[in-house]
Amino acid sequence: MDMRQNIADKLQAQLAPAYLNVEDESHMHNVPPGAQSHFKVTVVAAEFSGQSLVNRHRRVNRILAEELAGQVHALALHTLSEEEWQAKPDVPDSPPCRGGSKVQPKSPT
Amino acid sequence: MSALDRIRKQVTGNPVILYMKGTPQMPQCGFSSRAAQALMECGEEFAYVNVLMDPEIFQDLPKFADWPTFPQLYINGELIGGCDITLELHEKGELQQMVHEARGGSA
């Protein structure tokens, strides 16, 4: 399955975003090629206006709950209202890996 | 004590606490590293829990505040957010003030 496309489709359907960009950043991390595990999402949606950052992220995390419980290990999120996007249309780069996915505790979910 | 009880005790007992992979000195995840770095730049003490060393907390923390990923920053018992939100607040200059006030400094 193309996870990037799957994430994009779900967010498109649920948030009707004015702008949406989903990047597969798995290659930046300590995972096998083609893992489709680390993603960066930039999403601009009218409904975010007046909503706290925590609640915006919760909304996206809920839409992608199934993916986050499965193969999606990390989701960098940049959630903007349309007004914020017009004022500052750039998002920071995601960080490099520090190897942690290799040392998961023995009993994760 | 259940893991959820321990988490409750940790977030209420520490005005500023970061749940992260690794430690601020030896972070084991880029996102945790950046969040810890932002907090250190605030110049105030903060508590941290290395979730990789505590499988129960690793497993139950996502349920605690309905937040599926690490790191997680709590100030005065309330979830502030993960790496992206922490950095965004830091960039806007708000994080330092939030941490300072939580640590008992004046506004």
Side-chain angles (χ1 to χ4, degrees):
Chain A
M1 188 214 283
D2 182 344
M3 183 54 77
R4 196 197 67 79
Q5 191 61 48
N6 175 55
I7 290 171
D9 289 347
K10 283 201 170 178
L11 295 177
Q12 186 69 45
Q14 296 287 320
L15 296 172
Y19 175 85
L20 174 66
N21 185 42
V22 183
E23 290 171 60
D24 185 342
E25 296 191 323
S26 306
H27 61 278
M28 291 162 59
H29 297 274
N30 191 14
V31 291
Q36 301 190 80
S37 56
H38 292 65
F39 292 87
K40 175 179 176 175
V41 171
T42 305
V43 56
V44 179
E47 71 173 72
F48 290 151
S49 192
Q51 239 183 39
S52 72
L53 285 172
V54 170
N55 285 333
R56 294 178 193 183
H57 284 220
R58 279 204 179 108
R59 172 93 165 103
V60 174
N61 286 334
R62 281 201 194 106
I63 293 169
L64 301 175
E66 200 183 310
E67 288 73 16
L68 282 163
Q71 80 181 58
V72 175
H73 174 80
L75 198 58
L77 275 184
H78 303 282
T79 52
L80 296 94
S81 66
E82 293 183 354
E83 305 78 49
E84 289 162 351
W85 179 247
Q86 277 158 19
K88 192 173 176 287
D90 57 324
V91 294
D93 291 337
S94 297
C97 185
R98 297 290 187 119
S101 54
K102 217 178 185 179
V103 283
Q104 301 290 356
K106 287 197 176 60
S107 55
T109 45
Chain B
M1 200 187 296
S2 75
L4 285 174
D5 284 336
R6 283 199 292 137
I7 293 164
R8 201 166 290 119
K9 207 173 163 188
Q10 288 166 346
V11 301
T12 51
N14 294 284
V16 183
I17 183 165
L18 181 70
Y19 290 87
M20 65 181 292
K21 291 183 172 177
T23 68
Q25 287 71 34
M26 286 279 280
Q28 288 185 275
C29 158
F31 298 95
S32 287
S33 173
R34 280 205 180 163
Q37 188 63 40
L39 271 181
M40 286 192 280
E41 284 169 16
C42 293
E44 301 273 350
E45 270 182 50
F46 64 94
Y48 70 88
V49 173
N50 178 358
V51 297
L52 294 176
M53 297 297 283
D54 196 323
E56 280 184 5
I57 286 187
F58 182 89
Q59 187 164 330
D60 280 3
L61 186 60
K63 299 173 206 158
F64 181 73
D66 184 24
W67 196 265
T69 52
F70 305 107
Q72 295 188 21
L73 173 65
Y74 291 79
I75 295 182
N76 289 331
E78 190 189 341
L79 175 68
I80 301 303
C83 171
D84 298 313
I85 292 178
T86 301
L87 293 193
E88 201 165 315
L89 291 171
H90 185 46
E91 203 180 301
K92 286 194 253 176
E94 292 173 20
L95 185 66
Q96 206 275 337
Q97 190 175 345
M98 291 163 74
V99 168
H100 183 65
E101 284 173 24
R103 297 281 318 164
S106 54

